Amino acid sequence: MHSIWTGLIDGRPVIWHHFSADGGLTWSNADRVVDPGLIPGPTVLIADQNETPLIVQLAESNSGQLVLQEWAWATDRWVAGEQRILQETAVNADAISAIAAPDGQIAVMYGSLNSDGTTLTDEIIFTGR
């Protein structure tokens, strides 16, 4: 069993994780899922077709780009997987949902504000791999 949640350290969002190998009787110490080049945003925990836990996360790069980051569980730690730049500027990504299909496809839907320089538009965007 895996559990993730968002917290703050020095005013910066941080994704925390702990897991239980015995069905929830005991839990590991909480640890951060961190990439120093990303500011984490909305995050979801799913399992792929092989039952491998995956974290799918919207994040902002240090240069302000909106990024879709995947993390895969590797026995005792999270390993950064695929990363996809979604928009040139991260205005406000505020929700994410993801699902893994039996054929290995992962579908991600997220909500974001988009700016054309003069107006803001609330969008729901879909991507897959």
Side-chain angles (χ1 to χ4, degrees):
M1 293 174 54
H2 293 265
S3 176
I4 62 170
W5 65 97
T6 302
L8 293 174
I9 294 181
D10 297 329
R12 260 182 88 111
V14 176
I15 304 302
W16 291 94
H17 165 262
H18 65 172
F19 68 96
S20 174
D22 57 14
L25 295 175
T26 60
W27 289 87
S28 68
N29 291 328
D31 202 6
R32 292 184 293 172
V33 180
V34 64
D35 179 334
L38 297 175
I39 301 166
T43 304
V44 65
L45 177 64
I46 64 170
D48 69 10
Q49 79 275 17
N50 299 317
E51 297 300 315
T52 301
L54 299 175
I55 290 175
V56 181
Q57 173 183 71
L58 292 173
E60 184 177 341
S61 70
N62 288 333
S63 61
Q65 293 177 309
L66 183 61
V67 174
L68 180 63
Q69 176 68 55
E70 177 191 80
W71 299 85
W73 183 248
T75 308
D76 63 349
R77 63 189 166 88
W78 292 102
V79 176
E82 292 184 46
Q83 189 178 88
R84 183 178 199 177
I85 295 173
L86 298 174
Q87 292 174 218
E88 287 298 316
T89 304
V91 177
N92 181 23
D94 57 6
I96 187 171
S97 184
I99 189 167
D103 66 358
Q105 293 288 314
I106 294 176
V108 178
M109 188 167 54
Y110 66 96
S112 177
L113 289 176
N114 193 9
S115 174
D116 64 6
T118 58
T119 60
L120 285 175
T121 308
D122 197 10
E123 299 180 333
I124 297 175
I125 302 158
F126 171 85
T127 187
R129 74 147 175 90

